[in-house]
């Protein structure tokens, strides 16, 4: 989220200009980013009681909206609550029936626009906005800051530098040294290149820090070599000595609203020279105080980090399916996630050699694996996640009344060999494996639209070779199965708890029979299985 | 006459002053490429394709092809060849097929319809384990002379192995058979099949590793970290499980100078007890050479990359640099020396490859582990400018010292003066605790420096060599025949064995 804060200075300049010349209406343009499930502006500032016009341009490939809520609203919960009763939500076009929502655009189709005009609340605060389409809220949100400070990133003014020459291994007492050169820093940003010196120099920056309101502020520094920050003469943070700028140090200060004396000291011995500083506080996110931005600084504050690490990389399916091999919740350690056109997704396990889970809505967020070192299983980004059966092999020869072979946790299905997959002309994966001398292929496709229409997941298995006598294919398994029409309504175990999911599905397959808790059919050369979501066709 | 001489002395002084500051960039130039928009090109492996193209594997599991990367950076063209792999830490091209190593498979990727995108993903081998821990990275080599891919498998975390063959090197035969080949692996950062079919990998500082190391993968050997040795019962071809190094005996934070040669926590002593234990070829001295060794690239360009033909170029993820390694074999054991080579890459280096033109492609990411470069990811190229840096070319162990060869003739006066050199000897404790200081420091005397007749080599005589120690040798006073100081006046030689002659 913080990443997008960068776009705001430009916006703020525009706002200032419009405030100066057009006076009364603030116009904010918010666009959706294509295939990212994000707004391009995730934060903007307005004054209390101000007239605001929001121009919403949907440049994505799916419909979105913007709904504004009261401060403190858990907007993810408010949006996801709709998934409890999707039929009613559909009738409202996914605009929540929630008293905390006080303004919204209409649902805007791809490549269309809408405008929303309102008077900003008189009460200062942070007013969240969010897209309330199912599965979007977790990452598609932002905030409107209502307050007097608005419209300008807080930072330094009257910034001056002093340049010192010398060979140090730790920060010297600059007060006792005579500067080689001094001058003004016009852009108000701490920077290393005030002169051409590359080695053996020191810098002291002094300026006025404009603190927008009383509160706790954090200051960050990362420097090559040593650096420290003083506020009102008190040392807030320091990273002295000779080192690369990879370590970010953070210090805190309780500050009163108004001007404070800022001082940053830095020295460079030899080699690489870098200097980064930033601060954050009530009402604004981590903001650079230096000309160059440290890639790690935005994420350093605890609040920002938790938020950023596991969200922010939704893989959005367009015309072609997306394959994502990684750790996926409920699908073991060798999962293949596939997001299909038609708003349904699966995770297939090459440990069980079987379909592990399926869901509808958005595919998956790769942030957990792409932001950090890549550990941990990622749950689906969509909803109504079901698993056809506990994770185990698809085919077996079992005695009458015997239970289906179970898969040891982290183990591999015995007698199965994984061969890999192909992408057909529609780039649909065809999984291939061998079982007892039989070459098996599996292909999935979504018929219809599983988000809003009557989408179904169609699974086709082809078996090539001599099928062992008495071999069964297990379609599904659960303690809660009821025959329904030509198929069965199955209530599966809950795979994820993070989002509001209904783990029910309807499954049909020719020749399928219920034996105890398993739905099976005799293995044959071609098997077609259709899974659908009862919430879509009102078949509860 | 007199005034002329003063003038020429002045000129010489000026020239010396200017030459006093040779820069790495004078000799090796870094070119930075723009990367494909909309993705993070966190380069984790690079391979050469026909027609001068490159294949670039990334931590996000994508494989890009890059055309024209051997020319001006503005000419580079990217195409997404494949995506969705669970990290791509190995690429090997053969027979119109790209063989990749991901976290749990060696697989063959083929573009059967010629649209530039892979459509066939055939699994060759998926027989090693994966537990779900982030640490279990898998680095795959290119093909050895038998067509095998060697895969080094990171442990589950720093100490243990939770899934089969984590902490091992396995070979994958062309038919998919997996052959357990070496135990004792900790946390690899790169692997290479060298020109002589010997296979090396880099391991990282941590338990049983006081520093990152270059390791020689001798089939049947134990590489030093016992965490993965629980899988010997699944590897009958490897013989009995080696006896464990005893971790408890080796605890106790020894600092610089505090260790004693008789302490049992010495690689040189443990080698006598554990017969399968192969010592590190080279310690990549911690904090000085790097903190996180990664790719290994041999220079097989036949001189197009400069004077260091057949030497190894080893990258560091956290220092964003490349070091240079010369290897020799003494008493059947590989050992050698590491020199600083080139710093200043934009991100943490992970993947690298040199083409036949002697252009070294390098890229990486700082994700999860910081890197000096400062950029979250990068793809760059290193070219030799054609100017020969004044460096130690090779450094060989002798019974009573070392023989240095230089890239250019030396100034006899400085090179023959023992005071132009200095040295220290130290080692790292071989122990279970994470990392460790340089211990058991000694300052040997360099008693003699003899310059060869062709002035290209110098024989250094030490008062004492210490088997198992890193011999850090400084060449600060040495000048080239035309008065240049050395570009990198330091080398770190790992003396596993002292030659008899």
């Amino acid at each position: 989220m913080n990443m997008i804060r960068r776009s705001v200075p430009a916006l703020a300049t525009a706002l200032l200009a419009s405030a100066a010349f057009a006076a009364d209406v603030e116009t904010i343009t918010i666009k959706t980013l294509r295939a990212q499930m994000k707004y391009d502006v995730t934060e903007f500032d307005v004054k209390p009681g101000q007239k605001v016009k929001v121009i919403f341009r949907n440049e994505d490939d799916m419909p979105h909206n913007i709904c504004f809520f009261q401060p403190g609203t858990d907007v993810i919960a408010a949006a996801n609550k709709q998934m409890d009763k999707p039929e009613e939500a559909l009738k409202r076009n996914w605009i929540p029936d929630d008293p905390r929502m006080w303004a919204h655009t209409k649902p805007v189709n791809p490549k269309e626009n809408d405008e929303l005009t309102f008077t900003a609340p008189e009460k200062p605060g942070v007013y969240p906005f969010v897209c309330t389409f199912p599965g979007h809220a977790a990452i598609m949100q932002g905030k409107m800051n209502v307050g007097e400070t608005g419209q300008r990133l807080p930072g330094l003014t009257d910034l001056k530098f002093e340049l010192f020459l010398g060979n140090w291994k730790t920060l010297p007492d600059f007060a006792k040294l005579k500067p080689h050169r001094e001058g003004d820093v016009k852009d108000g940003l701490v920077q290393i290149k005030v002169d051409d010196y590359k080695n053996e120099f020191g810098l002291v920056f002094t300026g006025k820090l404009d603190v927008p309101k009383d509160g706790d502020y954090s200051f960050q520094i990362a420097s090559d070599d040593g650096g420290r920050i003083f506020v009102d003469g008190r040392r807030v943070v320091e990273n002295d000595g000779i080192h690369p700028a990879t370590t970010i140090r953070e210090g805190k200060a309780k500050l009163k609203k108004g001007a404070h004396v800022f001082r940053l000291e830095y020295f460079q011995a030899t080699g690489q020279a870098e200097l980064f500083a930033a601060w954050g506080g009530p009402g604004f996110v981590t903001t650079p105080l230096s000309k160059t931005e440290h890639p790690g600084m935005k994420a350093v504050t605890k609040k920002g980090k938790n938020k950023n690490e596991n969200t922010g990389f939704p893989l959005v399916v367009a015309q072609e399916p997306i394959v994502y091999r990684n750790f996926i919740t409920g699908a073991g350690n060798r999962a293949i996630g596939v997001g299909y056109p038609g708003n349904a997704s699966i995770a297939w396990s090459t440990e069980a050699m079987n379909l592990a889970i399926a869901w509808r809505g958005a595919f998956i967020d790769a942030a957990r694996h792409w932001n950090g070192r890549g550990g941990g299983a990622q749950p689906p980004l969509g909803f109504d996640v079901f698993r056809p059966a506990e994770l185990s092999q698809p085919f077996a020869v079992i005695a009458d009344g015997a239970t289906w072979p179970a898969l040891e946790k982290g183990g591999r299905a015995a007698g199965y060999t994984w061969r890999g997959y192909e992408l057909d002309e529609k780039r649909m994966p065809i999984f291939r494996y061998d079982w007892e001398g039989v070459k098996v292929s599996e292909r999935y496709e979504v018929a219809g639209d599983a988000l809003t229409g009557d989408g179904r997941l169609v699974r086709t298995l082809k078996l090539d070779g001599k099928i062992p006598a008495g071999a069964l294919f297990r379609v599904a398994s659960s303690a809660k199965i009821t025959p329904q029409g030509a198929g069965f309504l199955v209530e599966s175990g809950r795979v994820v708890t993070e989002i509001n999911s209904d783990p029910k599905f309807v499954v049909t397959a020719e020749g399928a029979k219920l034996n105890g808790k398993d739905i099976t059919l005799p293995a044959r050369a071609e098997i077609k299985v259709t899974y659908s979501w009862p919430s879509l066709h009102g078949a509860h | 006459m007199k005034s002329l001489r003063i003038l020429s002395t002045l000129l010489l002084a000026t020239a010396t002053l200017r030459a006093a500051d040779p820069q790495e960039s004078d000799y090796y130039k870094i070119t930075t490429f723009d990367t494909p928009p909309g993705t993070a090109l966190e380069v984790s492996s690079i391979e050469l394709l026909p027609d001068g193209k490159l294949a670039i594997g990334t931590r996000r599991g994508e494989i890009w092809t890059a055309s024209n990367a051997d020319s001006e950076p503005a000419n580079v063209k990217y195409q997404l060849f494949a995506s969705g792999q669970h990290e791509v830490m190995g690429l090997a091209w053969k027979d119109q097929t790209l063989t990749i190593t991901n976290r749990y498979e060696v697989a063959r990727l083929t573009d059967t319809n010629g649209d530039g995108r892979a459509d066939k993903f055939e699994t060759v081998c998926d027989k090693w384990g994966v537990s779900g821990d982030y640490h279990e990275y898998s680095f795959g080599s290119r093909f050895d002379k038998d067509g095998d891919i060697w895969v080094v498998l990171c442990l589950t975390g720093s100490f243990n192995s939770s899934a089969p063959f984590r902490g091992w090197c396995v070979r994958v035969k062309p038919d998919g058979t997996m052959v357990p080949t070496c135990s004792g692996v900790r946390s690899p950062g790169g692997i290479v099949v060298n020109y002589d079919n010997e296979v090396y990998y880099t391991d990282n500082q941590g338990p049983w590793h006081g520093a990152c190391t270059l390791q020689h993968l001798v089939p049947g050997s134990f590489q030093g970290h016992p965490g993965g040795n629980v899988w010997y019962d699944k590897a009958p071809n490897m013989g009995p499980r080696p006896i464990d190094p005893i971790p408890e005996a080796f605890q106790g934070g020894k600092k610089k100078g505090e260790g004693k040669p008789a302490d049992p926590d010495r690689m040189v002593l443990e080698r006598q007890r554990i017969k399968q234990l192969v010592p590190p070829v080279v310690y990549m001295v911690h904090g000085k050479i790097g903190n996180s060794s990664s790719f290994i690239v041999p220079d097989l360009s036949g001189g197009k990359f400069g004077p260091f033909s057949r030497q190894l170029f080893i990258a560091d993820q956290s220092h964003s640099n490349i070091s240079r390694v010369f290897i020799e074999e003494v008493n059947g054991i590989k050992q050698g020396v590491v020199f600083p080579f080139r710093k200043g890459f934009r991100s943490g280096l992970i993947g690298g490859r040199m083409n036949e033109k002697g252009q070294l492609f390098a890229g990486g990411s700082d994700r999860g582990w910081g890197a000096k470069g400062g950029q979250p990811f990068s793809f760059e190229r290193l070219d030799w400018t054609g100017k020969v840096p004044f460096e130690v070319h090779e450094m060989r162990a002798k019974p009573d010292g070392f023989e240095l060869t230089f890239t250019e003739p030396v100034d006899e006066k400085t090179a023959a003066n023992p005071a132009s050199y200095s040295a220290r000897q130290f080692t790292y404790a071989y122990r279970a605790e994470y990392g460790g200081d340089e211990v058991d420091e000694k300052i040997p005397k360099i008693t003699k420096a003899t310059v060869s007749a062709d002035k290209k080599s110098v024989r250094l005589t030490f008062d004492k060599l210490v088997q198992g120690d890193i011999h850090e040798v400084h060449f600060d006073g040495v000048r080239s025949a035309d008065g240049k100081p050395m570009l990198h006046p330091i080398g770190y030689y790992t003396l596993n064995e002292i030659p008899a002659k």
Side-chain angles (χ1 to χ4, degrees):
Chain A
M1 291 295 150
N2 288 342
M3 225 180 320
I4 289 144
R5 189 72 169 101
R6 272 186 225 158
S7 61
V8 174
L11 174 73
T13 314
L15 283 175
L16 279 172
S18 69
F21 300 107
D24 43 13
V25 181
E26 292 293 354
T27 302
I28 318 283
T29 300
I30 301 176
K31 291 184 269 195
T32 57
L33 297 170
R34 195 175 165 268
Q36 291 180 49
M37 210 165 298
K38 278 182 185 170
Y39 300 116
D40 69 340
V41 174
T42 55
E43 190 171 2
F44 65 92
D45 303 335
V46 295
K47 287 183 177 173
Q50 179 146 41
K51 276 225 182 303
V52 179
K53 180 153 112 181
V54 174
I55 300 173
F56 180 46
R57 299 188 192 283
N58 184 8
E59 302 190 352
D60 199 5
D61 300 315
M62 59 174 78
H64 294 290
N65 63 32
I66 302 181
C67 299
F68 287 84
F69 286 80
Q70 292 295 337
T73 307
D74 181 349
V75 289
I76 298 175
N80 286 348
K81 190 167 177 287
Q82 300 194 96
M83 296 179 199
D84 292 344
K85 291 178 179 169
E87 306 84 359
E88 290 177 30
L90 263 169
K91 282 180 202 152
R92 293 193 308 270
N93 264 322
W94 297 97
I95 301 291
D97 179 15
D98 189 316
R100 294 169 297 180
M101 186 186 69
W102 54 270
H104 66 87
T105 66
K106 66 177 197 218
V108 179
N109 281 323
K111 319 299 177 201
E112 292 180 5
N113 306 326
D114 191 24
E115 282 185 13
L116 176 66
T117 305
F118 57 82
T119 303
E122 288 294 341
K123 192 181 160 199
V126 178
Y127 290 78
F129 59 86
V130 66
C131 175
T132 58
F133 274 93
H136 296 197
I139 42 178
M140 196 160 184
Q141 48 174 285
K143 53 192 179 182
M144 178 176 80
N145 300 315
V146 177
E148 286 305 330
T149 61
Q151 309 201 3
R152 199 173 62 76
L153 285 176
L156 295 163
T157 49
D158 301 333
L159 190 66
K160 294 179 172 51
F161 76 86
E162 294 168 286
L163 172 73
F164 299 84
L165 300 182
N167 181 6
W168 304 288
K169 290 196 166 55
T170 55
L171 285 160
D173 185 356
F174 285 110
K176 292 186 176 147
L177 302 173
K178 193 175 163 324
H180 170 70
R181 204 163 84 69
E182 44 193 295
D184 294 329
V185 185
K186 294 219 167 49
D187 59 10
L189 292 167
V190 168
Q191 50 203 277
I192 211 156
K193 287 200 172 116
V194 297
D195 207 320
D196 283 333
Y197 290 97
K198 290 189 172 60
N199 292 318
E200 302 186 352
F201 67 89
L203 285 168
V204 174
F205 293 89
T206 48
K208 201 173 82 181
L209 185 70
D210 300 313
V211 171
K213 61 171 90 165
D214 295 3
D216 292 314
Y217 290 80
S218 68
F219 291 83
Q220 296 170 11
I221 191 163
S223 55
D224 181 357
D225 296 297
R228 62 186 163 217
I229 294 173
F230 298 83
V231 177
D232 298 329
R234 189 178 82 78
R235 188 174 63 199
V236 177
V237 61
E238 174 175 289
N239 190 11
D240 204 357
I242 292 177
H243 45 70
T246 44
T247 302
I248 299 169
R249 290 277 162 84
E250 186 174 39
K252 305 267 185 206
K254 198 178 267 300
L255 300 175
K256 292 271 182 214
K257 178 179 156 111
H260 292 258
V261 179
F262 175 87
R263 178 181 174 92
L264 186 150
E265 299 183 352
Y266 163 82
F267 84 94
Q268 150 71 351
T270 56
Q272 185 99 350
E274 285 176 299
L275 176 58
F276 307 93
W279 73 319
F284 67 99
V285 294
T286 304
T287 300
L289 292 168
S290 56
K291 194 160 189 164
T292 43
E293 286 183 53
H294 194 287
M297 258 181 194
K298 296 182 290 292
V300 140
T301 50
K302 282 204 173 61
K303 209 168 135 204
K305 192 171 184 178
N306 292 341
K307 202 169 174 181
N308 275 347
E309 280 284 296
N310 295 330
T311 65
F313 278 119
L315 304 180
V316 179
V317 180
Q319 280 77 33
E320 288 181 351
I322 296 176
V323 173
Y324 183 71
R325 304 191 70 178
N326 218 304
F327 305 130
I328 299 175
T329 308
N333 294 327
R334 300 169 192 258
I336 306 181
V338 187
Y340 289 94
N343 294 311
S345 305
I346 65 163
W348 206 86
S349 164
T350 76
E351 288 169 341
M353 228 62 82
N354 205 347
L355 175 65
I357 57 172
W359 64 96
R360 65 194 191 96
F363 175 37
I364 203 161
D365 191 328
R368 182 188 301 271
H369 303 132
W370 288 0
N371 274 338
R373 296 181 175 185
Q378 178 66 30
L381 186 55
F383 55 98
D384 288 356
V385 185
F386 69 80
R387 50 174 194 167
E390 63 273 19
L391 199 56
S392 184
Q393 62 197 60
F395 297 97
V397 180
I398 55 168
D400 258 357
T403 55
W404 199 260
L407 184 74
E408 193 187 320
K409 193 173 185 296
R412 313 292 297 272
Y416 287 77
T417 307
W418 168 237
R419 293 295 181 202
Y421 61 100
E422 282 158 33
L423 302 177
D424 69 8
E425 68 284 354
K426 291 160 105 174
R427 304 287 288 179
M428 298 287 182
I430 300 168
F431 307 115
R432 294 194 183 279
Y433 55 91
D434 295 348
W435 173 62
E436 303 294 344
V438 181
K439 292 188 185 312
V440 187
S441 73
E442 281 200 26
R443 184 181 185 278
Y444 296 75
E445 191 161 353
V446 179
D449 184 344
L451 186 59
T452 55
D454 61 343
R456 300 171 312 280
L457 183 65
V458 182
R459 173 185 190 181
T460 307
L461 297 101
K462 290 185 178 170
L463 286 73
D464 180 11
K466 192 175 177 304
I467 298 169
L472 294 175
F473 171 72
R474 185 165 72 162
V475 180
S477 177
S478 169
K480 294 179 187 168
I481 299 179
T482 43
Q484 179 178 295
F488 301 89
L489 174 68
V490 185
E491 195 171 331
S492 79
R494 196 170 275 277
V495 180
V496 290
T497 53
E498 281 89 342
I499 55 171
N500 232 328
S501 263
D502 186 2
K504 287 197 194 79
F505 63 99
V506 173
V507 63
T508 57
E510 195 188 317
K513 287 201 173 65
L514 184 60
N515 296 313
K517 61 195 248 313
D518 292 342
I519 302 169
T520 59
L521 56 80
R524 55 178 185 254
E526 182 165 330
I527 300 166
K528 189 171 264 191
V529 186
T530 303
Y531 305 90
S532 59
W533 286 268
S535 49
L536 276 174
H537 41 77
H540 285 279
Chain B
M1 277 304 279
K2 200 175 178 184
S3 65
L4 255 180
R5 192 183 299 157
I6 289 167
L7 185 66
S8 67
T9 314
L10 267 173
L11 277 173
L12 187 69
T14 319
T16 313
L17 202 66
R18 193 183 300 151
D21 205 12
Q23 299 288 319
E24 290 176 346
S25 54
D26 298 339
Y27 307 97
Y28 288 91
K29 181 173 167 267
I30 297 173
T31 299
T32 304
F33 295 102
D34 287 340
T35 55
T39 190
L41 198 75
E42 300 176 320
V43 179
S44 50
S45 49
I46 304 177
E47 172 61 317
L48 307 176
L49 303 181
D51 309 322
K53 275 192 191 178
L54 300 175
I56 300 169
T58 77
R59 291 179 74 189
R60 285 193 180 181
E62 292 175 335
I63 299 164
W64 292 81
T65 55
S67 310
N68 309 322
D70 55 352
S71 68
E72 287 302 306
N75 297 338
V76 72
K77 293 236 172 354
Y78 296 101
Q79 183 178 10
L80 186 62
F81 179 70
S83 60
Q85 301 304 302
H86 198 155
E87 294 148 2
V88 185
M89 303 281 196
L91 290 172
W93 175 262
K94 195 183 193 178
D95 303 333
Q96 302 307 307
T97 292
L98 192 62
T99 297
I100 75 161
T101 304
N102 67 27
R103 185 168 278 246
Y104 29 70
E105 290 175 8
V106 168
R108 293 189 191 111
L109 274 54
T110 316
D111 167 18
T112 61
N113 62 5
D115 66 353
R117 300 200 290 171
D119 44 43
K120 201 167 164 190
F121 299 72
E122 279 173 283
T123 300
V124 179
C125 175
D126 65 345
K127 295 190 180 75
W128 70 82
V130 59
S131 76
D133 185 275
Y134 77 84
H135 209 270
E136 290 177 343
Y137 297 101
S138 305
F139 289 83
S141 73
R142 297 175 58 237
F143 296 101
D144 71 6
K145 71 172 168 47
D146 299 321
D148 298 352
I149 297 276
W150 297 52
V151 184
V152 270
L153 300 167
C154 191
L155 284 168
T156 315
S158 281
F159 292 89
N160 304 311
S161 179
S162 304
F165 298 110
R166 285 287 157 190
W168 284 63
C169 170
V170 298
R171 260 175 303 163
V172 174
K173 313 291 288 180
D175 68 358
T177 312
M178 184 178 87
V179 184
T181 301
C182 303
S183 62
V185 170
R186 187 186 103 72
S187 180
I191 184 167
V192 73
V193 180
N194 207 0
Y195 64 90
D196 53 3
N197 206 44
E198 296 298 320
V199 184
Y200 299 89
Y201 83 100
T202 49
D203 212 326
N204 273 258
Q205 190 224 20
W208 306 102
H209 286 265
C212 298
T213 53
L214 175 69
Q215 302 274 143
H216 183 205
L217 290 166
V218 180
S221 67
F222 166 55
Q223 297 286 321
H225 191 310
N229 287 2
V230 293
W231 307 113
Y232 263 87
D233 58 348
K234 288 181 184 289
N237 66 310
M238 288 282 290
R241 175 180 168 151
I243 50 172
D244 280 349
I246 307 162
E248 291 78 8
F250 312 133
Q251 303 284 354
K254 289 193 194 78
K255 295 274 185 285
K256 202 176 277 184
E258 285 177 14
K260 292 188 183 65
D263 290 343
D265 51 358
R266 289 290 180 274
M267 177 59 72
V268 66
L269 295 176
E270 284 296 76
R271 279 176 62 203
Q272 295 165 14
R273 227 166 53 84
I274 308 169
K275 67 177 172 39
Q276 301 95 327
L277 178 60
V278 168
V281 179
V282 173
Y283 286 94
M284 309 293 283
V285 181
H286 191 74
K288 296 168 182 170
I289 288 298
N291 288 6
S292 182
S293 294
S294 55
F295 72 66
I296 309 168
V297 168
D299 173 10
L300 305 179
S301 67
K304 296 191 183 113
F305 188 64
F308 308 112
S309 200
R310 290 197 162 181
Q311 296 191 10
L312 298 180
F313 292 85
I314 301 185
D316 194 88
Q317 197 267 344
S318 71
H319 281 225
S320 304
N321 71 7
I322 295 179
S323 300
R324 176 169 65 88
V325 166
F326 168 75
I327 294 174
E328 60 175 337
E329 189 173 306
V330 178
N331 300 337
I333 300 290
K334 300 283 186 193
Q335 60 186 39
V337 59
V338 58
F339 304 99
F341 178 66
R342 184 65 164 99
K343 55 184 182 294
F345 293 87
R346 294 279 177 103
S347 190
L349 297 182
I350 303 171
R353 186 86 163 87
M354 192 187 290
N355 67 9
E356 61 287 346
K357 294 181 179 174
Q359 297 173 309
L360 200 169
F361 298 94
S365 119
D366 73 349
R367 167 149 66 88
W369 289 270
K372 185 155 186 170
Q375 298 296 316
F377 54 90
S378 66
F379 173 46
E380 296 179 284
R381 188 180 78 210
L382 187 66
D383 293 307
W384 182 40
T385 60
K387 281 170 72 177
V388 174
F390 180 47
E391 298 269 50
V392 171
H393 182 237
E394 296 176 351
M395 178 171 172
R396 292 169 196 277
K398 293 290 164 189
D400 57 355
F402 294 93
E403 184 180 65
L404 312 173
T405 60
F406 291 81
T407 54
E408 321 177 33
V410 295
D411 159 50
E412 189 158 14
K413 190 159 168 251
T414 52
N417 181 1
S420 294
Y421 307 86
S422 61
R424 54 189 286 266
Q425 298 155 331
F426 64 91
T427 188
Y428 296 99
Y430 172 51
R431 57 174 190 176
E433 205 174 313
Y434 199 103
D437 293 305
E438 298 173 1
V439 297
D440 193 17
E441 182 187 62
K442 301 161 288 290
I443 307 294
K445 256 196 210 125
I446 296 169
T447 54
K448 210 161 67 174
T450 312
V451 179
S452 67
D454 67 359
K455 303 205 172 41
K456 288 281 287 253
S457 64
V458 173
R459 180 74 164 73
L460 293 182
T461 309
F462 280 50
D463 65 341
K464 191 168 191 255
L465 296 181
V466 181
Q467 189 188 358
D469 271 15
I470 295 149
H471 287 62
E472 173 184 321
V473 185
H474 298 254
F475 325 109
D476 296 277
V478 179
R479 294 291 177 271
S480 65
D482 60 3
K484 282 198 300 283
M486 305 199 59
L487 181 57
H488 298 107
I490 194 165
Y492 303 88
Y493 191 101
T494 298
L495 192 66
N496 292 320
E497 293 285 323
I498 301 173
K501 56 179 183 179

